């Protein structure tokens, strides 16, 4: 018996076309995927809705919240067995992680996209969509959190990131790898997340800034955060979570104003931790009251802090 899948479109390259006159990829008024839905229906009963038609750099946390509310309504009001969301790849990992934090369902929620538009040679959108629907309809995809499916790989929303600007194999989970694969005949999972964090946000009214730390970084931008009305700060620290000493007064000022400061590592692999006790080292930051997030990228740590602040 085929399962019922809610397919939500948000835009991105998967629903764009290459303009042969200008050579640029542009939004298409008619979603090119619409012609392929009949072929994908062999794997599940598809109900389509369009949330918005936006390139992914236009997506904001407000749009992510809209998606979350659509998912809530779709699951509560209808008997869907899974959700598939098409999304541009630039911010796909952020939307996926937002939904991982803000939803708490046992059915699969799967995001997918494309690196090549529908009329380019080697277009990957239809195949990725078909794979995502197959994963969403698979019994063994339940209770694994929000998933990202592209290029025959299944990744968790928490770990996946875009690692290449144009390759079809861009989505990887550094240090962890995919949790499953899509084959011609089956969906295979070889491990699963150990735990999930649930932050049931209902509105987005806070602002969180993020800075990538670099050698000799000047303190003025960090010091301006409070005056600009930001509610929290994420720092992508050097190595295991260290900063130039010039930033320490600014960090201390933020903490004294009850503006939380989170540190992650700017490295793809490894985690930030309070090891070094020299000025600006992770141990000194921890002693000041800075919080370390283990295993999250800067952009995901920013979303997590944002949702925490919105929940008060």
């Amino acid at each position: 018996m085929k399962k019922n899948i809610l397919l939500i479109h948000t835009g991105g390259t998967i629903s764009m076309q290459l303009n042969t006159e200008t050579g640029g990829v542009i939004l298409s008024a008619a979603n090119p995927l619409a012609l392929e839905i009949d072929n994908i229906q062999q794997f599940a009963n598809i109900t389509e809705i369009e949330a918005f038609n936006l390139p992914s750099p236009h997506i904001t946390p407000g749009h992510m919240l809209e998606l979350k509310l659509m998912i809530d309504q779709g699951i509560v009001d209808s008997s869907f067995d899974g959700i598939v969301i098409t999304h541009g790849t630039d911010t796909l990992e952020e939307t996926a992680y937002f939904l991982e934090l803000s939803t708490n369902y046992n059915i699969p929620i799967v995001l997918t996209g494309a690196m090549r538009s529908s009329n380019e040679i080697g277009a990957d959108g239809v195949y990725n969509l078909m794979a995502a629907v197959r994963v969403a309809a698979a019994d063994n995809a339940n209770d694994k959190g929000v998933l990202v499916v592209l290029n025959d790989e299944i990744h968790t929303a928490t770990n996946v990131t875009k690692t290449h600007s144009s390759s079809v194999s861009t989505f990887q989970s550094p240090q962890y790898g995919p949790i499953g694969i899509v084959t011609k005949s089956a969906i295979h999972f070889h491990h699963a997340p150990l735990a999930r964090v649930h932050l049931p946000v209902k509105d987005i009214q806070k602002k969180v800034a993020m800075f990538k730390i670099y050698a000799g970084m000047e303190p003025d931008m960090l010091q301006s955060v409070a005056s600009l009305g930001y509610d929290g700060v994420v720092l992508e620290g050097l190595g295991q979570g260290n900063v130039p000493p010039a930033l320490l007064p600014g960090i201390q000022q933020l903490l004294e104003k009850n503006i939380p400061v989170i540190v992650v590592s700017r490295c793809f692999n490894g985690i930030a931790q309070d090891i070094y006790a020299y000025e600006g080292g992770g141990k000194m930051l921890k002693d000041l009251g800075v919080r370390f997030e283990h295993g999250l990228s800067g952009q995901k740590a920013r979303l997590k802090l944002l949702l925490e602040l919105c929940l008060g």
Side-chain angles (χ1 to χ4, degrees):
M1 181 174 172
K2 289 197 294 186
K3 293 196 176 179
N4 299 314
I5 301 297
L6 175 62
L7 175 57
I8 305 175
H9 295 294
T10 71
T13 300
I14 196 169
S15 57
M16 294 182 181
Q17 291 186 332
L18 178 68
N19 187 315
T20 55
E21 294 181 2
T22 66
V25 176
I26 57 173
L27 286 168
S28 173
N31 193 328
L33 294 176
L35 300 175
E36 305 293 340
I37 291 300
D38 288 344
N39 293 327
I40 297 173
Q41 293 272 13
Q42 64 182 295
F43 302 106
N45 300 314
I46 307 294
T47 299
E48 286 186 277
I49 61 174
E50 185 173 280
F52 19 82
N53 190 14
L54 295 172
S56 61
H58 295 193
I59 299 291
T60 68
H63 293 114
M64 298 174 194
L65 180 62
E66 284 185 54
L67 283 175
K68 185 260 185 196
L69 296 175
M70 284 183 185
I71 291 169
D72 289 343
Q73 184 174 349
I75 291 174
V76 171
D77 294 347
S78 305
S79 56
F80 290 112
D81 303 299
I83 311 286
V84 173
I85 300 169
T86 63
H87 198 289
T89 57
D90 284 352
T91 58
L92 185 150
E93 67 194 81
E94 290 169 80
T95 296
Y97 187 58
F98 184 103
L99 296 176
E100 165 65 21
L101 292 173
S102 61
T103 62
N104 190 31
Y105 298 108
N106 66 331
I107 68 169
I109 298 174
V110 182
L111 280 81
T112 192
M115 295 303 294
R116 295 173 182 157
S117 56
S118 61
N119 57 346
E120 287 185 86
I121 295 174
D124 56 333
V126 172
Y127 186 86
N128 285 338
L129 177 58
M130 179 184 68
V133 168
R134 288 180 59 202
V135 171
D139 290 334
N140 57 350
N142 289 332
D143 297 310
K144 291 184 173 62
V146 176
L147 302 171
V148 172
V149 174
L150 291 95
N151 202 39
D152 280 339
E153 293 184 339
I154 308 168
H155 295 263
T156 66
T158 301
N159 296 325
V160 75
T161 190
K162 188 174 182 178
T163 64
H164 192 286
S165 61
S166 57
S167 171
V168 293
S169 61
T170 179
F171 281 94
Q172 304 291 330
S173 295
Q175 193 164 250
Y176 304 101
I179 66 167
I181 58 172
V182 179
T183 71
K184 302 285 186 187
S185 59
I187 307 301
H188 293 278
F189 286 93
H190 42 73
H191 60 276
L194 292 175
R196 299 182 65 190
V197 176
H198 185 214
L199 301 172
V201 66
K202 295 182 179 179
D203 55 34
I204 304 293
Q205 297 178 343
K206 302 292 184 178
K207 296 198 303 181
V208 175
M210 184 178 79
F211 297 99
K212 182 182 284 290
I213 304 303
Y214 51 85
M217 182 172 174
E218 301 81 0
D220 50 355
M221 288 191 296
L222 188 58
Q223 292 168 343
S224 70
V225 166
S227 63
L228 293 173
Y230 283 85
D231 304 288
V233 177
V234 171
L235 304 177
E236 283 195 354
L238 306 168
Q240 295 187 68
N242 312 303
V243 303
L247 300 186
L248 290 176
I251 292 173
Q252 192 157 16
Q253 289 170 17
L254 292 172
L255 294 171
E256 288 171 354
K257 294 178 179 178
N258 294 318
I259 297 175
V261 178
I262 309 296
V263 168
V264 299
S265 175
R266 71 178 194 178
C267 302
F268 269 112
N269 292 302
I271 62 174
Q273 49 189 336
D274 53 323
I275 298 298
Y276 292 103
Y278 53 68
E279 191 177 10
K283 188 176 187 311
M284 176 176 281
L285 296 177
K286 185 74 174 288
D287 291 343
L288 284 176
V290 171
R291 192 175 98 199
F292 284 68
E293 278 289 356
H294 303 307
L296 288 182
S297 63
Q299 57 268 32
K300 289 180 181 177
R302 175 186 168 272
L303 284 173
K304 185 179 180 184
L305 179 57
L306 177 64
L307 268 61
E308 289 173 343
L309 292 169
C310 289
L311 286 173

